[in-house]
């Protein structure tokens, strides 16, 4: 089975690469130091510091593995090649919610970068899927568990 491509913006790629570098260069050394200190305290069977450091080491290694897997299957959206007449990954979009009569702004990103608190929605989410390919002025129906929402696309712009 072929692994799913992880669509990333250049900023998302850079962020993951920086995190990976920090985990490998800084965090691994820190946790190795903590484990060494805890070992020097003697009996490991009842050593909470040792157990905590080993747990932290396991978490760091799991995150390193996860990031490497994401990067291995990464497909970076070249923002200079994005067509801003239609919505695609890498675009910042302003839409008007027809039901609640309010404007909202989203950045369409790959699923690994999605963060609703920062207004970054996945191209795989119901809203993201519905918006992909839409043009300015178009009204888009989004199927949600609560029912169908309608958004009018007000603006499509490059994410700067």
């Amino acid at each position: 089975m072929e692994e799913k491509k992880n669509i990333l913006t250049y900023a998302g790629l850079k962020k993951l690469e920086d995190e990976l570098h920090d985990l490998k260069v800084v965090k691994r050394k820190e946790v190795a130091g903590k484990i060494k200190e805890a070992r020097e305290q003697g009996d490991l069977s009842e050593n909470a510091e040792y157990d905590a450091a080993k747990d932290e080491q396991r978490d760091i290694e799991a995150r390193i593995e996860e990031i490497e897997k994401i990067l291995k299957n990464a497909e970076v959206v070249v923002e200079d090649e994005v067509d801003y007449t239609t919505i695609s990954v890498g675009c910042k979009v302003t839409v008007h919610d027809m039901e609640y009569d309010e404007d909202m702004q989203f950045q369409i990103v790959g699923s690994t970068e999605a963060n609703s608190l920062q207004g970054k929605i996945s191209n795989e989410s119901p809203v993201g899927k519905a918006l992909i390919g839409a043009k300015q002025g178009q009204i888009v129906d989004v199927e949600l568990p609560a029912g169908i929402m309608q958004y009018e696309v007000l603006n499509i712009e490059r994410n700067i």
Side-chain angles (χ1 to χ4, degrees):
M1 185 175 110
E2 188 177 325
E3 298 218 29
K4 180 184 108 175
K5 285 280 181 212
N6 296 305
I7 298 173
L8 296 169
T9 60
Y10 179 75
L13 175 71
K14 181 88 177 93
K15 185 178 174 191
L16 282 173
E17 287 174 339
D18 290 347
E19 181 183 353
L20 182 62
H21 181 266
D22 182 58
L23 287 169
K24 285 183 167 183
V25 175
V26 179
K27 299 290 189 213
R28 271 183 173 165
K29 281 184 184 165
E30 285 177 5
V31 80
K34 288 179 186 176
I35 290 171
K36 184 176 184 256
E37 279 180 35
R39 275 195 178 132
E40 290 169 356
Q41 293 176 11
D43 184 14
L44 298 180
S45 64
E46 293 181 20
N47 188 328
E49 288 86 6
Y50 178 78
D51 291 341
K54 289 300 278 183
D55 287 346
E56 186 178 351
Q57 182 183 43
R58 186 189 65 245
D59 293 345
I60 288 169
E61 294 304 320
R63 181 63 180 154
I64 287 171
E65 187 177 323
E66 178 184 11
I67 293 172
E68 286 176 338
K69 189 175 179 182
I70 290 168
L71 293 176
K72 187 178 117 199
N73 296 304
E75 186 175 301
V76 180
V77 175
V78 180
E79 293 183 29
D80 292 341
E81 296 173 7
V82 173
D83 172 12
Y84 290 97
T85 60
T86 61
I87 298 172
S88 63
V89 174
C91 290
K92 196 171 255 182
V93 183
T94 305
V95 297
H96 182 76
D97 184 321
M98 308 292 273
E99 183 177 346
Y100 293 105
D101 194 30
E102 65 181 0
D103 293 351
M104 298 180 292
Q105 195 170 57
F106 304 116
Q107 180 184 354
I108 310 292
V109 296
S111 59
T112 54
E113 285 180 81
N115 183 333
S116 60
L117 297 176
Q118 296 175 355
K120 295 180 177 183
I121 62 169
S122 166
N123 62 321
E124 298 174 12
S125 70
V127 174
K129 272 186 196 170
L131 289 173
I132 294 285
K135 296 182 180 310
Q136 190 168 328
Q138 187 174 341
I139 294 177
V140 177
D141 291 339
V142 180
E143 283 190 51
L144 297 171
I148 294 179
M149 301 288 290
Q150 287 192 317
Y151 295 125
E152 180 183 0
V153 179
L154 300 178
N155 191 28
I156 305 168
E157 60 188 82
R158 177 184 299 252
N159 180 44
I160 300 170

